Amino acid sequence: MQTAERLRFSAEEYLAWEETQAEKHEFVAGEVFAMTGARQDHVVVSLNIASSLKQRLRGTPCRAYMADLKLKVEAADAFFYPDVMVSCHPGDLANQQFISNPSLIVEVLSESTADYDRGGKFVAYRKLESLMEYLIVDIEARRVECFRRTADNDWLLHDYLGEVDCELTSLGVQIPMAEIFEDIKAD
């Protein structure tokens, strides 16, 4: 992650500035970070997951969103662009710039963001009271790590590998791993 010309903003200044930018930038505690373009496999897997979720959530109050919509994490003074997220919160339907009450967040790992997705970003995401599940998708390993919030506010890892269904209990849906990794060639 690279800082965009070492700019410092308030959250409101960032939102106004970001609307005028050609590229996407994430915002963390006053600092703005330029987002790099994703590789084809990353985009395909993100689209597979978002499409699967959209299909399974049809007729419910929940919506799946792709990487172009911001996520506001007020408790972390941050805005992120998750690869995929789902919100079932009516307040999120009314806001065109960002959502702030996701039930599910998905990050597809890339070499440049893997450590951040597992570390600092997950720390920020855990501050969202609405968040029930956080998926980390490892394309190389054909693995989905599902961190699920427990009743005690702990996070329990459910590992999905092979020919199984990835269970998303927060949404009451299952997605076959073959569907998540559809059109991705084995190495």
Side-chain angles (χ1 to χ4, degrees):
M1 205 183 256
Q2 289 187 318
T3 304
E5 302 138 29
R6 281 284 171 201
L7 300 172
R8 294 203 56 88
F9 291 108
S10 69
E12 295 76 24
E13 291 167 335
Y14 159 76
L15 286 172
W17 177 81
E18 179 73 352
E19 289 286 318
T20 67
Q21 301 305 301
E23 284 104 27
K24 296 186 295 190
H25 302 82
E26 292 187 332
F27 171 87
V28 180
E31 285 192 77
V32 177
F33 300 90
M35 302 286 294
T36 58
R39 296 175 57 105
Q40 186 175 153
D41 284 353
H42 185 115
V43 174
V44 168
V45 168
S46 297
L47 181 59
N48 288 347
I49 294 168
S51 298
S52 296
L53 287 167
K54 180 171 177 52
Q55 181 180 42
R56 286 165 175 80
L57 296 172
R58 197 168 270 129
T60 74
C62 303
R63 278 198 187 159
Y65 299 94
M66 289 281 298
D68 284 341
L69 184 64
K70 287 182 277 303
L71 168 66
K72 179 180 183 178
V73 183
E74 191 162 354
D77 189 24
F79 288 90
F80 299 104
Y81 284 96
D83 291 315
V84 179
M85 55 187 165
V86 172
S87 175
C88 305
H89 193 279
D92 284 337
L93 292 176
N95 195 326
Q96 291 297 310
Q97 277 191 300
F98 57 82
I99 70 166
S100 32
N101 300 287
S103 303
L104 169 74
I105 295 175
V106 180
E107 293 288 2
V108 178
L109 296 181
S110 62
E111 280 185 39
S112 62
T113 65
D115 290 342
Y116 187 53
D117 288 345
R118 291 181 186 281
K121 196 177 266 192
F122 188 26
V123 168
Y125 288 167
R126 289 193 307 255
K127 294 179 181 190
L128 292 162
E129 290 181 25
S130 64
L131 186 65
M132 300 309 294
E133 290 173 308
Y134 176 50
L135 296 187
I136 295 177
V137 182
D138 185 337
I139 295 172
E140 297 298 316
R142 294 285 199 284
R143 174 182 181 187
V144 175
E145 298 170 29
C146 176
F147 291 90
R148 192 169 294 138
R149 189 187 300 259
T150 68
D152 296 328
N153 208 30
D154 293 323
W155 289 86
L156 185 61
L157 170 62
H158 298 268
D159 229 348
Y160 297 100
L161 276 164
E163 299 299 313
V164 298
D165 289 350
C166 178
E167 274 189 67
L168 303 174
T169 60
S170 65
L171 302 171
V173 301
Q174 298 179 348
I175 304 174
M177 293 289 280
E179 205 170 301
I180 290 171
F181 296 107
E182 183 179 356
D183 298 326
I184 302 297
K185 291 184 176 144
D187 289 340

